[in-house]
Amino acid sequence: MMNKVSPMKEYLFINGEEVQTTEYSNLYSPFTREVISEIAVATKEQTEQAIEVAYQAKDEFARMPAFERAQILENVVLLLKENFNEAAEIITKETAKPIMFSRGEVTRTIETYKFAAEEAKRIHGETIPFDAASGGVGRVGYTVRNPIGVIGAITPFNFPMNLVAHKVGPAIASGNTVVLKPASQTPLSALFIAKLFKQAGLPDGILNVVTGPGRTVGDTIVEDERVNMVTFTGSTSVGINIRNKAKLKKTTLELGSNAAVIIDKNTNVDNVIDRCVMGAFSNQGQVCISLQRVFVHEEIYEEFTNKFVEATKKLKLGNPFDDETYLSSLISPDELDRALDWIEEAKQSNANILTGGKAQGNILEPTIIADCTSSLKVSCQEVFAPIVTVTKVKSIQEAISHVNNSRYGLQAGIYTDSVSNALLASNELHVGAVIINDIPTFRVDNMPYGGVKESGTGREGIKFAVEEMTELKLIVWNQN
């Protein structure tokens, strides 16, 4: 039976119902540090119950016609539009993401589910010319794509609604069932979406949300044999651990990054400053493709650096619910302490803090650092904070070498008016995407998205995620 929920308590969502548990944890506002909710902590047994529910529902859901799955997703789009402000406020409440960026995330989430609805009707195979082989004469064949089964989805805190959509949307579109574990700091967005899906007509058991720690909920999802695929966005270390535990399960892993942009000598600096500010400091720098490293040609280095610092100093810090706020708190006090430690390491290594570098209460000032060596944490690790380094280079080739000198390879950008340099960067940058005349933080939700090296495996973007979440089957007819 459905349990009556206190406004301050959030339960598990299994088989279309809210399920109580014996333990709850406080959810704190990153900005005020006040308790904003009590969140159910699932047991291993409850996680296994959610998996079993999804497992039992998978065959019937796989037989649901594509137009019906598409209609459910279209209904979610309409419900999100109707509940737009509430959705944005939930994101800001649990993440301290400034409300201007939360509204942007809800807009993208609506688009993501719209793309999923459209892709639900475009899942198809191809015919195979068997008579191209001498042994194939008299036979015809074609491929179909079938849902993979139960998908375990593990999502991060930084885009708690849209990154859930990037896993749930294509899973539903392709006829899979889902067990979703949201990040511990951002369960409210996931539970909100699950309830919208029920309202939209999704059958019970197709989408189940289980909240709790990774060592219990996450490990159970990854190791259970009834789960056919794991899709994860988060840190590289956790991703590697998931892949090791998943064994032969299919995995899509969107992992770490220290994304870079190259700025060529003939670039109009005034045209790129605002984009670089947005790329480095939106969402407090807590973006997988946040601009972390800038490599500027020596001929315009001083002009760029001065204007970049000047624009950064104008950003408003404060309450995330204020419409004018551009930066607010990092997701936790531990993350603030870590970021300050990394800045201090840079200072001790004679790097130059051009602006920022300090905390205002629980908010880290947007920080620009020059004269960094490649071995400093702010350069070579994923900073996930409003910190960006600026480095002077003599040539595009030197800049490309710096960008590639990384364990990561998610996206990179280059500003240039030279077709030759754009092509050089396109060919030689070892990343999942090269963005020409823009920052690496560019993403729209229908593009293939993913990285190389320690930035992960597989691709998201609804069409491409559907391919990851389905299995190719060949059908051969012998006409002889």
Side-chain angles (χ1 to χ4, degrees), residues 84 129 406:
F84 185 96
S406 172

Side-chain angles (χ1 to χ4, degrees), residues 130 134-140 476-480:
F130 276 89
S134 58
V137 175
R139 287 172 169 80
V140 294
V476 182
W477 290 70
N478 184 357
Q479 301 179 98
N480 294 318

